[in-house]
Amino acid sequence: MSRNDLSLHWRSYASVLASRRDLKYRMERKITYWFTVSLLTVFCIVGLYFEISSSLSEAQKPSLSLHFSWAGIPACASTSPAFEVDGVPADTMQLSFMMTDLNLPSFHHGGSTIPYIGNKVDRGAITYTGPCPPPGERHNYRWTVQALDAAGNVLATGSAEALFPP
């Protein structure tokens, strides 16, 4: 075998090795691709399952009935109205109140959590920043209440809305 034949044979062998490496590389990429697609599909299905089960459990929670009136509450003061809460679950230890100005939801009026001692909450029992719409305007305010157990888990939620000034 001549030197040129040997060189040609060696180049053919190197070419075969190169194509085998290329084939192996492409197969590994395909396997990695399909593994990634399969893994993402599993994560999406699991996430969807937990999202659905979470929303179902929220929908199954009992609803509280909340009643209040702004009558007698001065503008721009921090005196909370009296509340009446119905449908409170038996394991309730605390009630958490939060107020939102629906005309200006970016302003945080706050609220507070109080011990649950019955369905009536006295006027002034909640710490918050009182309603203070601009002069001549009326704003719609929403109070949201959550019934909490001893561990702080939400047992039920309710809300009520009213215009201020009344």
Side-chain angles (χ1 to χ4, degrees):
M1 196 178 252
S2 75
R3 195 171 184 149
N4 282 341
D5 289 339
L6 195 55
S7 174
L8 180 62
H9 180 66
W10 178 251
R11 275 187 261 155
S12 296
Y13 180 70
S15 172
V16 167
L17 284 179
S19 25
R20 281 186 179 172
R21 275 194 307 265
D22 183 51
L23 179 63
K24 183 179 175 189
Y25 173 75
R26 283 187 286 155
M27 287 179 66
E28 286 173 352
R29 284 192 56 192
K30 282 183 181 179
I31 291 170
T32 303
Y33 170 79
W34 285 111
F35 177 77
T36 303
V37 167
S38 301
L39 196 60
L40 287 173
T41 302
V42 168
F43 284 143
C44 288
I45 291 170
V46 168
L48 183 60
Y49 168 78
F50 282 111
E51 179 67 28
I52 290 171
S53 64
S54 171
S55 64
L56 286 177
S57 64
E58 286 295 319
Q60 293 169 348
K61 288 184 180 175
S63 178
L64 297 174
S65 175
L66 181 65
H67 304 282
F68 76 98
S69 171
W70 289 119
I73 302 295
C76 306
S78 293
T79 304
S80 66
F83 296 94
E84 188 174 324
V85 185
D86 295 316
V88 179
D91 293 341
T92 300
M93 300 301 288
Q94 296 178 318
L95 295 175
S96 177
F97 287 84
M98 183 68 63
M99 188 179 85
T100 304
D101 181 343
L102 298 178
N103 298 90
L104 190 63
S106 61
F107 183 81
H108 298 287
H109 286 273
S112 60
T113 301
I114 60 170
Y116 175 63
I117 53 175
N119 291 1
K120 295 194 184 289
V121 177
D122 293 334
R123 179 178 169 169
I126 309 299
T127 304
Y128 78 116
T129 302
C132 196
E137 289 187 29
R138 294 176 77 194
H139 279 204
N140 197 22
Y141 292 90
R142 176 187 298 137
W143 279 100
T144 302
V145 62
Q146 294 179 322
L148 308 175
D149 65 11
N153 298 314
V154 177
L155 301 173
T157 301
S159 64
E161 298 175 15
L163 287 169
F164 186 90

